[in-house]
DNA sequence: CGCCCTTTCTACCGAGTGGTAGAGAAGAAT
DNA sequence: ATTCTTCTCTACCACTCGGTAGAAAGGGCG
């Protein structure tokens, strides 16, 4: 019975998808089960057959997002330990995780506001490793004299995460501050992200330009870094 | 009952205060009129006598916050045009506005998530001037060679606002990422804010130390000596 | 066919929501 | 004292919420 199983799992995924969208847009209490079911194209009791309660659905949505995050973390670790442009790689990889689906950032933000104490263990388990890696990287850079000596690594990393998560989540609102007369939304987004990475580098490295061009022993020259330099990530 | 003529206005202010707190903590839909009334110590219909509807109350809460903001803006403008330490003054003044009552940051964040299109005109009317001032300051600094030439001023300012608002709103969650073993919450907050200002300066000025020296007493060299040295904090 | 199992549905429930009607209390003004 | 205004209350309303009961649909399989 692979067909049935497939179908059931398919509906479950559809529910998760639309629930993610609506939770991100209206919040957990603001998005009703009826609306989510309607978006999927079923009735509310059918939805409750797949998820026993609304809170079950919330956990499912969160788990799905964290599962995706767990997929990118290994790439982050690998990028962080590879020879060159470690910072750029980790930053763009993390940023792209949220940019790929801004609802992730909005959902995370809402959960942090609604249930901070409940999110704390998740933060510790899922982003603590990330943090530790970057902090080690920063301290190493400080010893080598490439990174500003007066940085507070943990605090710096907190601000970086803040910039990436909230920057994506609130981007549509934030660009109201930018003279949008000539540029399209896409171009504004690119400007914002470019400046974010420049900002992050400038706050970290003593010589950002050098850091961008290849940090340690002279090696293979990376291409002039634009927004996405590392991965052959698809340009929309 | 000792009833003064100020009682009506007093109750209205109490309602606004508790509504701000509960809206910030649970969101607009998550905070019921009953709970707000109970926090004030009255019944729900009494609350609805002062505010005709829940949406009226929301507007009142928002207006009160913006009124406070309008009080600090003149100080910002004055600080921004005074001779020295303009950046530091504007940044700390803005940061202190939210730090004085973190619910302001949380409320603003929630409104941006819940009603982005409704917040857009408020952003343009209330923070557009702020933005313009800083952008002019940045461009002037670029001409004078004090500020990195490759900064995108508008994008930089957007990230700065992001850091200050979300940094305060999510601070309690974020410090879960910092090794809290030895330091108290207060000290962690101080570390975070100090690093935020350092971060902002480093992302802006070509020579942050020089930019900072203009403000403090002349002379005291940064002598942290250790990796995680806490710099002698400026006035805060 | 009958049986089983998964899935979806209609109909309904109690609880809680924002909001209203209208009575009453307490001063202030006449 | 009487009226008027301001404010608070109890009781109630229609509605939506998350969740349940149970019937029906339908495919696979003996």
């Amino acid at each position: 019975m692979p067909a049935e199983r497939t179908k059931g799992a398919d509906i479950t995924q559809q529910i998760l998808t639309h629930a993610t969208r609506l939770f991100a847009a209206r919040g957990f209490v603001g998005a009703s089960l009826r609306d989510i079911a309607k978006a999927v194209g079923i009735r509310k009791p059918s939805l409750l057959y797949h998820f026993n309660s609304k809170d079950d659905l919330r956990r499912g949505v969160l788990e799905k997002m964290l599962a995706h995050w767990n997929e990118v973390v290994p790439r982050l670790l690998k990028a962080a330990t590879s020879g060159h442009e470690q910072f750029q790689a980790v930053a763009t990889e993390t940023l792209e995780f949220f940019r790929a689906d801004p609802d992730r950032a909005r959902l995370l933000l809402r959960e942090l506001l609604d249930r901070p104490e409940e999110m704390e263990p998740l933060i510790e388990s899922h982003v603590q490793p990330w943090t530790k890696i970057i902090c080690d990287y920063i301290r190493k850079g400080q010893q080598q004299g490439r990174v500003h000596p007066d940085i507070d690594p943990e605090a710096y990393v907190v601000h970086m995460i803040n910039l990436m998560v909230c920057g994506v989540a609130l981007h549509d609102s934030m660009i109201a501050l930018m003279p949008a007369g000539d540029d399209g939304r896409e171009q504004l987004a690119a400007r914002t992200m470019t400046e974010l990475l420049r900002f992050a580098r400038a706050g970290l490295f003593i010589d950002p330009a050098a850091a961008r061009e290849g940090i340690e022993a002279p090696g293979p020259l990376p291409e002039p870094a634009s927004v996405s330099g590392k991965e052959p990530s698809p340009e929309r």
Side-chain angles (χ1 to χ4, degrees), chain A:
Chain A
M1 31 193 87
E4 283 184 4
R5 272 261 166 256
T6 302
K7 186 189 172 191
D10 183 43
I11 282 282
T12 299
Q13 288 306 310
Q14 282 188 47
I15 293 174
L16 285 174
T17 300
H18 287 98
T20 301
R21 214 191 65 236
L22 289 172
F23 284 163
R26 309 179 193 173
F28 179 69
V29 283
S32 73
L33 292 183
R34 273 177 176 87
D35 290 343
I36 298 171
K38 182 182 290 183
V40 179
I42 59 178
R43 308 290 162 256
K44 183 186 51 162
S46 307
L47 191 157
L48 283 165
Y49 171 80
H50 295 276
F51 296 88
N52 293 326
S53 71
K54 197 186 185 184
D55 215 64
D56 251 37
L57 178 55
R58 183 180 62 84
R59 277 189 290 269
V61 164
L62 226 54
E63 275 173 21
K64 185 178 179 181
M65 187 183 71
L66 291 179
H68 277 139
W69 173 248
N70 284 337
E71 283 177 15
V72 352
V73 165
R75 284 211 300 277
L76 287 178
L77 303 189
K78 192 178 167 208
T81 53
S82 77
H84 301 283
E85 55 185 73
Q86 305 162 25
F87 173 79
Q88 186 85 1
V90 174
T92 58
E93 193 88 45
T94 306
L95 193 51
E96 279 307 311
F97 172 76
F98 292 105
R99 287 241 300 160
D101 183 3
D103 283 339
R104 291 170 180 163
R106 284 186 274 262
L107 192 75
L108 178 57
L109 208 46
R110 295 199 109 113
E111 288 294 311
L112 286 172
L113 286 169
D114 287 344
R115 273 167 289 275
E117 70 294 335
E118 208 167 321
M119 291 300 285
E120 193 177 318
L122 269 61
I123 291 180
E124 286 179 3
S125 61
H126 283 78
V127 337
Q128 191 83 266
W130 194 97
T131 301
K132 197 163 174 6
I133 298 245
I134 311 280
C135 286
D136 289 348
Y137 175 76
I138 292 175
R139 294 209 170 83
K140 195 181 69 177
Q142 286 176 322
Q143 289 171 357
Q144 297 176 350
R146 287 164 24 233
V147 169
H148 292 123
D150 52 345
I151 285 184
D152 182 330
E154 280 83 12
Y156 171 86
V157 167
V158 161
H159 292 312
M160 276 302 304
I161 294 172
N162 189 345
L163 276 179
M164 293 191 286
V165 175
C166 302
V168 171
L170 303 177
H171 176 258
D172 291 354
S173 298
M174 293 296 205
I175 59 178
L177 288 175
M178 299 170 73
D182 42 354
D183 299 335
R185 301 171 68 86
E186 197 125 349
Q187 191 158 357
L188 284 178
R191 272 177 60 189
T192 311
M193 297 308 148
T194 303
E195 172 64 18
L196 194 159
L197 291 175
R198 185 210 65 79
F199 192 11
R201 275 195 308 267
L204 188 63
F205 298 111
I206 291 176
D207 184 354
R212 188 175 31 190
E213 276 175 23
I215 32 194
E216 291 187 314
L221 248 280
E223 59 214 21
S226 139
V227 187
S228 57
K230 173 77 179 180
E231 270 263 61
S233 88
E235 204 65 33
R236 305 184 214 304

